[in-house]
Amino acid sequence: MKEPPLSYHIFPLGDSALTVDFGNRMDEAINRQVIARFHQLRHQQLPGLVEVVPAFSSLAVYYDPVFIRKWVKEGQTAFDYVSTLLLELLRTETGIQEEQSRLVRIPVCYDPSLAPDLEEMAQAKELSAEQLTTLHTGRIYRVYMLGFLPGFAYMGEVDEQLMTPRKQQPHPVRPGSVGIAGRQTGIYPFASPGGWNIIGRTPVQLFNRNRALPTLLQAGDRVQFYAIDKYEFAHY
Amino acid sequence: MRIIKAGIQDSVQDRGRYGYQHLGVNPSGAMDQYAMQLANALLGNETDEAVIELHFPASVILFTQPALIALAGADLSPSINGEPVPLYQCIVVNKNDALQFHRPLSGARAYLAVHGGFSMERWLESKSTNLKAGAGGYRGRSLQKGDEIELNSKKDYSSLLPGKNFRILPWTIDHAADTGPREIFVLPGNEWDRLTAEAKRQFTTTPFLITKLADRMGYRLGNEPLAMLPGGELISSAVNFGTIQLLPDGKLIILMADHQTAGGYPRVAHVITAHHSRLAQKRSGEALYFRLTDQARAEELLQKQQQHVRQLQHACLLKLQQYV
């Protein structure tokens, strides 16, 4: 699928990175292009480039300014050099025909004993726990980006009825907890303080340091949750 | 070598783990990269070889075999077998020598490097400890009593020892590469212009105290709230070591080595890389003075700093060749 080119602007992120910003919003079409550019840049392995990090609607490019300064012109900075390079690159096609999108199915136990915020949320929304579960499992979500914790995937968008603002104060969250914040849903790979509303827990390991690719999910993946009961959770 | 008493949070760190932030894996790495590089340069190591980062109260370390070591960064008044030893000099230690640290005299983090480096597996291409993922470094955690850390070098350093005592090799290095004002140079961030004129003045002219909430993840500053012009909310995007974010309460946080990979707070400024070393050696209760600079100057300062490290590394290699 060919998509129209997006407008963007480039700004420095200190002296060792820059950000290409495609619009500061959660939008699937924008994110698809961000991920495509991310793969393109990783594939090209440009000298002096340290790494590329995609987010919802932006791409950060980290570079080694001292290495790059070896060949920049007098009066030019490493930032000038890298941003010029990116401007040229962004004019080309990504060369990536179609997004390779995996569908990952993730079991979630929505039992209130594992979901500290489920009942309160259901009450506030005038939904039964079952209706809430059905709404959460009823959609295929897109993984927009990973961040916050190793392997933490920001996914969206949830059904309008499920939208819930982040909590004012962070609470301790158990690993595997599935939460909702605003229009997003996500899973905590590790125990952490967190402000998302926890509606379930998955027995699946989101992060395994012994794997070459340590995260279960990657940006661009599609995710569908399915409900399991407490017994299945315990014996998963 | 063996840890015979644990410090509060000492860990193995190197230049950091890059290439995995897209998976949410934060880069870690030594907070004071410059001090890490100098410790390695003294020993003729690759400058990004893994070192042990020590905070006060620091670990007590027993050498179970003769070794060639160097210390850099904060002065935590190190001693070997109770005798004071200097920073920024090579020291040949004997089997059963104990290295300990008595008082935090200056700076926040000391670095211990050994000739040839520490022997441990890399995780995702780096020896840095990632405490969140519980991976990398020594068993993915900070060092504890009883930990045995292997050294790469199989050289016999005992021939360098005159007797039973350790030996300090007779040269040091110029570790104060830049003798300019001790301000922290910053580059404006993308949301710099969201600060009011008064907030900008405050940022560049008043001291910013580091609060008790200051660790490897970030430093919270205890400033009078900075006023912001109205602007839309920001969606999460990648951040960097040294990024200064403005929190909703008007206070600042500086992201350090263990920073999260992304954030959604306004980025008012970024500490230049050449000054990460200064920043990493500041302690809670100390004041920071920010000064705006530009991209060209930031890059030049970093280039100078790295040239200095390389020159020292070459000079030290030559000196060391007379010994090992």
Side-chain angles (χ1 to χ4, degrees):
Chain A
M1 188 170 61
K2 217 171 149 190
E3 311 214 11
L6 293 167
S7 64
Y8 50 82
H9 83 284
I10 294 179
F11 58 84
L13 194 65
D15 56 17
S16 63
L18 56 79
T19 304
V20 188
D21 183 5
F22 294 93
N24 189 40
R25 61 182 184 275
M26 187 171 165
D27 176 298
E28 181 162 350
I30 292 180
N31 187 249
R32 217 180 290 139
Q33 294 221 14
V34 166
I35 306 300
R37 292 297 180 187
F38 161 71
H39 288 298
Q40 181 192 15
L41 278 163
R42 263 171 83 86
H43 184 73
Q44 295 201 342
Q45 296 191 335
L46 301 164
L49 252 58
V50 174
E51 72 173 317
V52 191
V53 185
F56 285 104
S57 56
S58 66
L59 203 57
V61 177
Y62 296 75
Y63 56 87
D64 178 344
V66 175
F67 185 83
I68 285 166
R69 278 177 74 87
K70 282 185 211 156
W71 65 73
V72 301
K73 288 191 219 90
E74 185 76 30
Q76 208 192 20
T77 62
F79 169 74
D80 295 333
Y81 180 87
V82 179
S83 45
T84 307
L85 194 80
L86 282 167
L87 286 170
E88 280 167 23
L89 208 104
L90 289 165
R91 266 188 231 116
T92 65
E93 298 279 321
T94 57
I96 294 159
Q97 292 305 309
E98 224 171 287
E99 191 175 70
Q100 338 144 302
S101 185
R102 303 181 301 163
L103 177 66
V104 185
R105 285 173 47 80
I106 296 178
V108 177
C109 178
Y110 294 89
D111 190 276
S113 63
L114 302 175
D117 303 315
L118 182 87
E119 281 172 332
E120 196 184 314
M121 213 173 114
Q123 254 171 30
K125 311 258 172 216
E126 295 179 359
L127 294 167
S128 68
E130 289 71 30
Q131 285 170 318
L132 197 148
T133 303
T134 308
L135 284 171
H136 192 247
T137 54
R139 277 198 181 183
I140 292 177
Y141 301 105
R142 174 179 180 82
V143 176
Y144 279 86
M145 63 177 282
L146 271 65
F148 171 50
L149 289 170
F152 186 100
Y154 291 85
M155 295 173 267
E157 303 175 16
V158 297
D159 187 284
E160 260 181 52
Q161 292 183 77
L162 293 179
M163 287 185 195
T164 311
R166 205 177 288 250
K167 293 191 212 171
Q168 290 289 319
Q169 291 297 324
H171 290 262
V173 176
R174 303 281 297 270
S177 293
V178 177
I180 287 179
R183 296 184 291 158
Q184 301 168 51
T185 184
I187 313 169
Y188 286 79
F190 299 97
S192 163
W196 293 41
N197 304 277
I198 305 304
I199 59 160
R201 202 187 298 168
T202 178
V204 169
Q205 203 180 4
L206 274 296
F207 192 91
N208 182 340
R209 63 178 189 217
N210 298 319
R211 281 198 225 118
L213 178 67
T215 62
L216 176 68
L217 300 172
Q218 288 190 76
D221 284 347
R222 289 176 309 141
V223 170
Q224 185 164 31
F225 298 109
Y226 63 97
I228 56 170
D229 61 26
K230 268 177 89 176
Y231 181 86
E232 290 170 296
F233 180 86
H235 296 89
Y236 188 81
Chain B
M1 56 184 233
R2 186 185 307 140
I3 307 297
I4 54 175
K5 194 173 165 215
I8 43 164
Q9 204 204 69
D10 299 340
S11 63
V12 176
Q13 299 293 345
D14 61 9
R15 66 182 294 270
R17 181 173 289 105
Y18 289 91
Y20 299 90
Q21 289 195 79
H22 66 288
L23 302 177
V25 178
N26 50 307
S28 317
M31 290 273 275
D32 184 346
Q33 291 282 318
Y34 180 53
M36 172 198 85
Q37 290 166 0
L38 292 178
N40 279 319
L42 273 159
L43 298 165
N45 289 347
E46 291 295 324
T47 54
D48 55 3
E49 181 57 68
V51 294
I52 292 178
E53 182 177 271
L54 302 136
H55 297 86
F56 194 84
S59 304
V60 180
I61 297 166
L62 183 81
F63 292 91
T64 50
Q65 67 191 72
L68 180 59
I69 68 166
L71 294 162
D75 185 354
L76 308 181
S77 51
S79 79
I80 293 175
N81 307 333
E83 279 182 57
V85 291
L87 302 172
Y88 300 106
Q89 273 185 266
C90 292
I91 306 167
V92 190
V93 294
N94 208 342
K95 184 177 170 170
N96 292 328
D97 279 352
L99 170 68
Q100 53 184 317
F101 300 85
H102 302 273
R103 277 177 310 282
L105 294 180
S106 70
R109 294 164 178 90
Y111 292 88
L112 167 66
V114 297
H115 185 231
F118 296 102
S119 165
M120 58 189 61
E121 268 182 48
R122 285 183 167 79
W123 178 63
L124 305 180
E125 302 171 64
S126 162
K127 291 181 183 172
S128 284
T129 310
N130 187 310
L131 294 170
K132 265 193 209 132
Y138 187 87
R139 300 189 182 173
R141 58 165 170 77
S142 49
L143 299 176
Q144 285 165 21
K145 186 181 172 178
D147 287 352
E148 303 261 359
I149 304 167
E150 298 272 319
L151 315 190
N152 277 329
S153 175
K154 298 287 170 262
K155 286 201 171 72
D156 181 15
Y157 299 101
S158 56
S159 61
L160 296 178
L161 291 163
K164 282 196 167 170
N165 215 349
F166 65 87
R167 176 179 177 192
I168 299 162
L169 298 187
W171 66 87
T172 184
I173 55 168
D174 167 21
H175 51 89
D178 74 279
T179 48
R182 302 304 289 171
E183 289 158 312
I184 303 284
F185 283 22
V186 299
L187 292 165
N190 197 48
E191 284 73 50
W192 168 253
D193 282 326
R194 285 207 192 173
L195 292 175
T196 62
E198 170 57 19
K200 285 180 181 174
R201 193 200 59 81
Q202 200 182 329
F203 186 87
T204 48
T205 57
T206 64
F208 286 80
L209 225 58
I210 302 174
T211 67
K212 287 204 166 115
L213 299 171
D215 57 19
R216 281 187 45 89
M217 286 180 68
Y219 293 178
R220 292 264 207 137
L221 306 182
N223 51 289
E224 287 296 315
L226 294 176
M228 244 190 17
L229 302 168
E233 280 218 359
L234 294 171
I235 193 159
S236 274
S237 67
V239 290
N240 205 351
F241 189 159
T243 297
I244 306 178
Q245 292 180 320
L246 185 64
L247 301 175
D249 62 3
K251 303 210 168 175
L252 298 174
I253 182 169
I254 312 180
L255 304 182
M256 301 299 285
D258 281 347
H259 66 82
Q260 292 178 11
T261 55
Y265 294 123
R267 299 143 289 200
V268 294
H270 305 272
V271 175
I272 68 168
T273 309
H275 286 184
H276 286 182
S277 170
R278 291 179 181 184
L279 188 61
Q281 293 301 350
K282 296 278 185 193
R283 293 184 276 189
S284 295
E286 286 190 79
L288 303 177
Y289 292 85
F290 298 122
R291 188 160 119 192
L292 282 177
T293 187
D294 60 31
Q295 217 72 28
R297 180 92 181 110
E299 291 179 9
E300 280 159 21
L301 286 171
L302 182 62
Q303 193 168 23
K304 259 201 205 152
Q305 197 178 66
Q306 294 197 1
Q307 275 164 357
H308 182 67
V309 170
R310 256 200 313 281
Q311 282 163 5
L312 290 176
Q313 185 198 25
H314 291 147
C316 289
L317 257 176
L318 285 175
K319 291 264 191 196
L320 266 178
Q321 276 169 2
Q322 306 162 30
Y323 294 84
V324 288

